[in-house]
mmCIF file of all heavy atoms in Angstrom:
data_model
loop_
_atom_site.group_PDB
_atom_site.id
_atom_site.type_symbol
_atom_site.label_atom_id
_atom_site.label_comp_id
_atom_site.label_asym_id
_atom_site.label_seq_id
_atom_site.Cartn_x
_atom_site.Cartn_y
_atom_site.Cartn_z
ATOM 1 N N PHE B 13 60.741 -14.552 -61.600
ATOM 2 C CA PHE B 13 60.181 -13.384 -60.913
ATOM 3 C C PHE B 13 59.308 -12.612 -61.882
ATOM 4 O O PHE B 13 59.731 -12.321 -62.999
ATOM 5 C CB PHE B 13 61.302 -12.463 -60.415
ATOM 6 C CG PHE B 13 62.106 -13.038 -59.302
ATOM 7 C CD1 PHE B 13 63.383 -13.541 -59.534
ATOM 8 C CD2 PHE B 13 61.597 -13.091 -58.024
ATOM 9 C CE1 PHE B 13 64.138 -14.070 -58.505
ATOM 10 C CE2 PHE B 13 62.349 -13.622 -56.982
ATOM 11 C CZ PHE B 13 63.614 -14.119 -57.228
ATOM 12 N N PRO B 14 58.091 -12.267 -61.465
ATOM 13 C CA PRO B 14 57.246 -11.466 -62.342
ATOM 14 C C PRO B 14 57.843 -10.066 -62.505
ATOM 15 O O PRO B 14 58.555 -9.590 -61.632
ATOM 16 C CB PRO B 14 55.915 -11.399 -61.582
ATOM 17 C CG PRO B 14 56.259 -11.659 -60.167
ATOM 18 C CD PRO B 14 57.486 -12.526 -60.165
ATOM 19 N N THR B 23 61.482 -12.124 -65.045
ATOM 20 C CA THR B 23 62.886 -12.526 -65.039
ATOM 21 C C THR B 23 62.985 -13.996 -64.668
ATOM 22 O O THR B 23 62.542 -14.392 -63.592
ATOM 23 C CB THR B 23 63.678 -11.733 -63.979
ATOM 24 O OG1 THR B 23 63.401 -10.351 -64.151
ATOM 25 C CG2 THR B 23 65.164 -11.993 -64.106
ATOM 26 N N ALA B 25 65.116 -16.430 -63.189
ATOM 27 C CA ALA B 25 66.362 -16.412 -62.423
ATOM 28 C C ALA B 25 67.001 -17.794 -62.408
ATOM 29 O O ALA B 25 68.220 -17.923 -62.475
ATOM 30 C CB ALA B 25 66.095 -15.941 -61.006
ATOM 31 N N GLY B 43 79.342 -19.256 -59.063
ATOM 32 C CA GLY B 43 78.758 -18.810 -60.326
ATOM 33 C C GLY B 43 78.908 -17.321 -60.485
ATOM 34 O O GLY B 43 79.133 -16.601 -59.502
ATOM 35 N N PRO B 44 78.777 -16.830 -61.726
ATOM 36 C CA PRO B 44 78.940 -15.395 -61.953
ATOM 37 C C PRO B 44 77.799 -14.602 -61.324
ATOM 38 O O PRO B 44 76.746 -15.149 -61.012
ATOM 39 C CB PRO B 44 78.921 -15.270 -63.476
ATOM 40 C CG PRO B 44 78.173 -16.455 -63.948
ATOM 41 C CD PRO B 44 78.445 -17.551 -62.964
ATOM 42 N N SER B 45 78.030 -13.330 -61.178
ATOM 43 C CA SER B 45 77.033 -12.455 -60.558
ATOM 44 C C SER B 45 75.710 -12.501 -61.325
ATOM 45 O O SER B 45 75.689 -12.507 -62.553
ATOM 46 C CB SER B 45 77.578 -11.028 -60.542
ATOM 47 O OG SER B 45 76.688 -10.219 -59.832
ATOM 48 N N GLY B 46 74.632 -12.596 -60.584
ATOM 49 C CA GLY B 46 73.314 -12.538 -61.206
ATOM 50 C C GLY B 46 72.817 -13.857 -61.762
ATOM 51 O O GLY B 46 71.801 -13.906 -62.443
ATOM 52 N N CYS B 47 73.509 -14.962 -61.454
ATOM 53 C CA CYS B 47 73.131 -16.242 -62.043
ATOM 54 C C CYS B 47 72.069 -16.953 -61.216
ATOM 55 O O CYS B 47 71.613 -18.029 -61.584
ATOM 56 C CB CYS B 47 74.348 -17.131 -62.230
ATOM 57 S SG CYS B 47 75.018 -17.761 -60.684
ATOM 58 N N GLY B 48 71.683 -16.413 -60.093
ATOM 59 C CA GLY B 48 70.610 -17.033 -59.323
ATOM 60 C C GLY B 48 71.072 -17.788 -58.092
ATOM 61 O O GLY B 48 70.308 -18.574 -57.520
ATOM 62 N N LYS B 49 72.289 -17.532 -57.645
ATOM 63 C CA LYS B 49 72.797 -18.226 -56.453
ATOM 64 C C LYS B 49 71.993 -17.840 -55.211
ATOM 65 O O LYS B 49 71.543 -18.710 -54.458
ATOM 66 C CB LYS B 49 74.272 -17.879 -56.210
ATOM 67 C CG LYS B 49 75.182 -18.156 -57.393
ATOM 68 C CD LYS B 49 76.636 -17.863 -57.076
ATOM 69 C CE LYS B 49 76.955 -16.411 -56.781
ATOM 70 N NZ LYS B 49 76.807 -15.511 -57.946
ATOM 71 N N SER B 50 71.837 -16.535 -55.029
ATOM 72 C CA SER B 50 71.067 -16.089 -53.859
ATOM 73 C C SER B 50 69.637 -16.592 -53.941
ATOM 74 O O SER B 50 69.038 -16.956 -52.929
ATOM 75 C CB SER B 50 71.056 -14.570 -53.767
ATOM 76 O OG SER B 50 72.359 -14.092 -53.573
ATOM 77 N N THR B 51 69.112 -16.608 -55.163
ATOM 78 C CA THR B 51 67.741 -17.083 -55.339
ATOM 79 C C THR B 51 67.618 -18.526 -54.867
ATOM 80 O O THR B 51 66.668 -18.870 -54.144
ATOM 81 C CB THR B 51 67.337 -16.975 -56.822
ATOM 82 O OG1 THR B 51 67.526 -15.616 -57.237
ATOM 83 C CG2 THR B 51 65.896 -17.373 -57.033
ATOM 84 N N LEU B 52 68.581 -19.351 -55.235
ATOM 85 C CA LEU B 52 68.542 -20.752 -54.808
ATOM 86 C C LEU B 52 68.585 -20.848 -53.286
ATOM 87 O O LEU B 52 67.806 -21.573 -52.664
ATOM 88 C CB LEU B 52 69.724 -21.515 -55.420
ATOM 89 C CG LEU B 52 69.845 -22.972 -54.965
ATOM 90 C CD1 LEU B 52 68.650 -23.776 -55.448
ATOM 91 C CD2 LEU B 52 71.148 -23.596 -55.465
ATOM 92 N N GLU B 60 61.634 -17.588 -50.413
ATOM 93 C CA GLU B 60 60.934 -17.480 -51.696
ATOM 94 C C GLU B 60 60.265 -18.826 -51.944
ATOM 95 O O GLU B 60 60.704 -19.840 -51.412
ATOM 96 C CB GLU B 60 61.921 -17.233 -52.861
ATOM 97 C CG GLU B 60 62.847 -16.058 -52.717
ATOM 98 C CD GLU B 60 62.217 -14.746 -53.137
ATOM 99 O OE1 GLU B 60 61.028 -14.738 -53.527
ATOM 100 O OE2 GLU B 60 62.910 -13.718 -53.062
ATOM 101 N N GLN B 86 74.495 -12.162 -46.889
ATOM 102 C CA GLN B 86 75.638 -11.404 -47.381
ATOM 103 C C GLN B 86 75.734 -10.037 -46.692
ATOM 104 O O GLN B 86 76.802 -9.576 -46.347
ATOM 105 C CB GLN B 86 75.501 -11.209 -48.895
ATOM 106 C CG GLN B 86 76.587 -10.344 -49.492
ATOM 107 C CD GLN B 86 76.664 -10.450 -51.007
ATOM 108 O OE1 GLN B 86 75.766 -10.984 -51.642
ATOM 109 N NE2 GLN B 86 77.733 -9.963 -51.573
ATOM 110 N N ASP B 162 75.278 -17.100 -47.657
ATOM 111 C CA ASP B 162 75.252 -16.389 -48.932
ATOM 112 C C ASP B 162 76.397 -15.379 -48.978
ATOM 113 O O ASP B 162 76.274 -14.280 -48.446
ATOM 114 C CB ASP B 162 73.912 -15.672 -49.100
ATOM 115 C CG ASP B 162 73.748 -15.098 -50.511
ATOM 116 O OD1 ASP B 162 74.685 -15.216 -51.318
ATOM 117 O OD2 ASP B 162 72.669 -14.531 -50.781
ATOM 118 N N GLU B 163 77.491 -15.754 -49.605
ATOM 119 C CA GLU B 163 78.670 -14.888 -49.688
ATOM 120 C C GLU B 163 78.914 -14.129 -48.393
ATOM 121 O O GLU B 163 79.001 -12.903 -48.399
ATOM 122 C CB GLU B 163 78.526 -13.891 -50.845
ATOM 123 C CG GLU B 163 78.259 -14.568 -52.164
ATOM 124 C CD GLU B 163 78.432 -13.637 -53.349
ATOM 125 O OE1 GLU B 163 79.315 -12.763 -53.281
ATOM 126 O OE2 GLU B 163 77.707 -13.780 -54.347
ATOM 127 N N HIS B 196 81.429 -16.332 -55.090
ATOM 128 C CA HIS B 196 81.908 -16.229 -56.459
ATOM 129 C C HIS B 196 83.430 -16.266 -56.477
ATOM 130 O O HIS B 196 84.051 -15.992 -57.486
ATOM 131 C CB HIS B 196 81.353 -14.981 -57.155
ATOM 132 C CG HIS B 196 81.691 -13.713 -56.455
ATOM 133 N ND1 HIS B 196 80.754 -12.930 -55.848
ATOM 134 C CD2 HIS B 196 82.876 -13.122 -56.234
ATOM 135 C CE1 HIS B 196 81.344 -11.894 -55.295
ATOM 136 N NE2 HIS B 196 82.636 -11.988 -55.512
ATOM 137 N N ARG B 214 72.994 -16.404 -66.003
ATOM 138 C CA ARG B 214 71.545 -16.325 -65.917
ATOM 139 C C ARG B 214 70.897 -16.605 -67.276
ATOM 140 O O ARG B 214 71.366 -16.093 -68.288
ATOM 141 C CB ARG B 214 71.139 -14.938 -65.433
ATOM 142 C CG ARG B 214 69.669 -14.798 -65.133
ATOM 143 C CD ARG B 214 69.413 -13.478 -64.480
ATOM 144 N NE ARG B 214 69.659 -12.389 -65.412
ATOM 145 C CZ ARG B 214 68.751 -11.979 -66.299
ATOM 146 N NH1 ARG B 214 67.581 -12.557 -66.369
ATOM 147 N NH2 ARG B 214 69.037 -10.999 -67.120
HETATM 148 N N1 LIG C 301 62.872 -10.201 -55.921
HETATM 149 C C1 LIG C 301 63.247 -10.219 -57.226
HETATM 150 N N2 LIG C 301 62.441 -9.710 -58.177
HETATM 151 C C2 LIG C 301 62.806 -9.715 -59.473
HETATM 152 N N3 LIG C 301 63.972 -10.221 -59.930
HETATM 153 C C3 LIG C 301 64.817 -10.735 -59.033
HETATM 154 C C4 LIG C 301 64.517 -10.763 -57.632
HETATM 155 N N4 LIG C 301 65.543 -11.335 -56.982
HETATM 156 C C5 LIG C 301 66.444 -11.641 -57.923
HETATM 157 N N5 LIG C 301 66.021 -11.308 -59.163
HETATM 158 C C6 LIG C 301 66.740 -11.514 -60.420
HETATM 159 O O1 LIG C 301 67.153 -12.852 -60.469
HETATM 160 C C7 LIG C 301 68.471 -12.952 -60.973
HETATM 161 C C8 LIG C 301 69.352 -13.720 -60.031
HETATM 162 O O2 LIG C 301 69.530 -12.984 -58.848
HETATM 163 P P1 LIG C 301 70.389 -13.513 -57.619
HETATM 164 O O3 LIG C 301 70.314 -12.498 -56.555
HETATM 165 O O4 LIG C 301 69.941 -14.884 -57.274
HETATM 166 O O5 LIG C 301 71.846 -13.555 -58.253
HETATM 167 P P2 LIG C 301 73.218 -13.984 -57.571
HETATM 168 O O6 LIG C 301 73.717 -15.157 -58.312
HETATM 169 O O7 LIG C 301 73.055 -14.127 -56.114
HETATM 170 O O8 LIG C 301 74.164 -12.748 -57.897
HETATM 171 P P3 LIG C 301 75.291 -12.054 -56.987
HETATM 172 O O9 LIG C 301 76.496 -12.935 -57.074
HETATM 173 O O10 LIG C 301 75.527 -10.760 -57.670
HETATM 174 O O11 LIG C 301 74.754 -11.924 -55.607
HETATM 175 C C9 LIG C 301 68.942 -11.539 -61.236
HETATM 176 O O12 LIG C 301 68.863 -11.290 -62.604
HETATM 177 C C10 LIG C 301 67.975 -10.663 -60.501
HETATM 178 O O13 LIG C 301 67.736 -9.487 -61.234
#
Side-chain angles (χ1 to χ4, degrees):
Chain B
F13 291 104
T23 310
S45 186
C47 71
K49 305 183 296 293
S50 297
T51 304
L52 176 65
E60 306 277 1
Q86 176 165 13
D162 189 357
E163 305 193 34
H196 58 247
R214 188 172 67 83

